[in-house]
Amino acid sequence: MSATTLGAGLLAPARPAALWPTGWAAGLAWIGAAAAISLLPDADDLGRTQELAALAAGFGGVILLAAIGASLPGLAPRLARLRQAGPWLILLALALLAWELATAKYEVLPRPFFAAPQSILEVFTDDYARLGESVWRSLLLVGPGYALGALVGFLFGVAMGWSRLVGYWAHPVVRLIGPLPATAWLPIAFFAFTSSRGASTFLIALASFFPVTVLTWSGVSAVSKAYYDVARTMGASPWFLVRKVAVPAAMPSVFVGLFMGLGASFSVLVVAEMMGVKAGLGWYMQWAQGWAAYANMYAALLVMAAMCSGAVTLLFRLRDRLLSWQKGLVRW
Amino acid sequence: MVSGVNGARLEVRGVSHAFALEKRSLPVLQDIDLVAEPGEFVALLGPSGCGKSTLLRLVAGLEPPTEGQLLVDGVPITGTHPSRTIMFQDPTLFPWRTVRGNAQLGPEARGTLAADSKRIDEALRLVGLAGFAEAYPHQLSGGMAQRASLARSLVNQPRILMLDEPLGKLDSLTRLAMQRELVALWERERFTALLVTHDVEEALLLADRVLVLSDRPARIRADIRVETPRPRRRDDAGLVALREEILALLGLAEAA
Ligand SMILES: Nc1ncnc2c1ncn2[C@@H]1O[C@H](COP(=O)(O)OP(=O)(O)OP(=O)(O)O)[C@@H](O)[C@H]1O
Ligand SMILES: [Mg+2]
């Protein structure tokens, strides 16, 4: 508690209600970029140029409003976090401008491969239904698979770390099979399961299973014997030792496993969607590439990045909640 | 609280203990014979590394002795039991539990949480941590962690309470207050107490008997009865004389 407030205090500007020059610069940069997008002629016939300009101008306007708000004592504390993003806001405006100039305005970059910003915006405005559907289908596929793999991996890891017998038999198997990329099972999985959905769920579960198992196992094995001694002298049963000592003590390690498993699950998801499943973001990208619709591909890539990052953010939120007793957590 | 003696009789009969190291075995305890009567307060003094904590671990039932036997009320110790709790030398608080969560560990493990909740509050108040019940161990100072650990062992209503340098990290004022609290608690509940300490004065202020151990492997060099009635004053002539005697013993032990 006190540690976090202290951390925020160190990062926040010394006088929150002071002028925010970076904010003014960022707002003006966005409006400048908007003007260039709107006023310079496109080299080719492109849609949504004016909409993109309006969007950029609107964004710039919001930043300018925030810059005004940052000078008001009442609003300043709430905008403290936005203030930290100031330099990034400027950089993003410049990047958008450079991208726009290099593609739409002067065609420095070969056009079909390098889509103009407004073309990607066009994908979002015109094809949002199919994109949204793809996200939903991807989540439906990855969610249950990841959850299943993580749950089984967690239970398996605890059993391996706790019981010498389970450890003895499971260790060589996990050691041999675990490091194999889950995608290597692809041909077998699609052959063994009648539905591509079942096969993909299995592969995604396998991908999250391994890291969660290994890290849970090592977390449980590393629990200090002194904790068990304390609990045992107070009359703890073996079941209590597992549930209330081994598992909580191993949680930091378990979360590392969950995080790694999430990454592995996403990578299997995309491959599975490209190879067999006829839905989801991976399939959308494959399809877009087939039609040389590169703007759609980039749009799907952006959405995928947001989806994966969102999932990791959720996981880290959960961790911050459950592991608030730890000091020095890495912020995501 | 229950009046009369709650403590158990502890017998240590010809106990020797050795740890197996890489190639050789390290003898730590040698022929320890000791009887603590029910409700007796016994202090253990001895040089660092001589085997005091090891003796407590044997009494707690965390390890079986290499040789000899330990009995509680005539029954051999075969494992841990909540009637024999130990406050370890390291606080070993569970970092994922608050101070209160740590203090309630014993009742929670035995399923008596509801019945013991007043006792938990009382123990936290006794060690002066009532205001820190919701704090996590990493937010505590060394002395506070030690007091939290003391509270955790006190809530279990032990019949034998082992304290391994319980007040080692406290400043002298808190230490005095905690010594007084410990004696008051012991007089109220009359458990059998085994106190390991480095502080000769503390041993004399608190205990009925002071056992002075030799260097490793530990043997009992002296068994000194402290007859001075409580409340005791540290400048009491009898205690001062005993203190000189014990210091001489420890000095000899260091020279040997
Ligand atoms: N698990 C163990 N394995 C091997 N050796 C051990 C083990 N535990 C203790 N020892 C050894 O036994 C000896 C006695 O240790 P012990 O902790 O009982 O000492 P102590 O009297 O409590 O010392 P101090 O006053 O410094 O706490 C030490 O030399 C230590 O190295
Ligand atoms: Mg010790």
Side-chain angles (χ1 to χ4, degrees), chain B residues 19 21 26 28 47-54 89 164-165 198 216:
Chain B
F19 287 108
L21 298 184
L26 177 79
V28 174
S48 175
C50 75
K52 304 179 294 292
S53 299
T54 306
Q89 193 165 3
D164 200 344
E165 295 185 32
H198 277 305
R216 191 183 59 236

Side-chain angles (χ1 to χ4, degrees), chain A residues 257-322:
Chain A
L258 287 172
F259 169 68
M260 289 168 57
L262 195 58
S265 289
F266 277 127
S267 100
V268 173
L269 169 78
V270 175
V271 174
E273 285 175 344
M274 287 180 173
M275 302 295 286
V277 185
K278 295 272 173 284
L281 279 173
W283 166 81
Y284 185 98
M285 283 178 74
Q286 182 90 338
W287 166 86
Q289 194 213 18
W291 288 96
Y294 293 101
N296 295 60
M297 230 175 67
Y298 290 121
L301 207 57
L302 269 179
V303 172
M304 202 182 283
M307 184 176 87
C308 298
S309 175
V312 173
T313 303
L314 265 177
L315 186 68
F316 273 61
R317 284 274 155 79
L318 184 70
R319 182 197 65 160
D320 289 351
R321 242 205 145 127
L322 288 178

Side-chain angles (χ1 to χ4, degrees), chain B residues 123-151:
Chain B
L124 289 176
R125 198 160 345 106
L126 189 88
V127 299
L129 284 179
F132 281 86
E134 300 312 318
Y136 281 96
H138 79 260
Q139 299 165 319
L140 303 180
S141 73
M144 288 160 81
Q146 214 169 26
R147 284 184 277 147
S149 165
L150 181 59

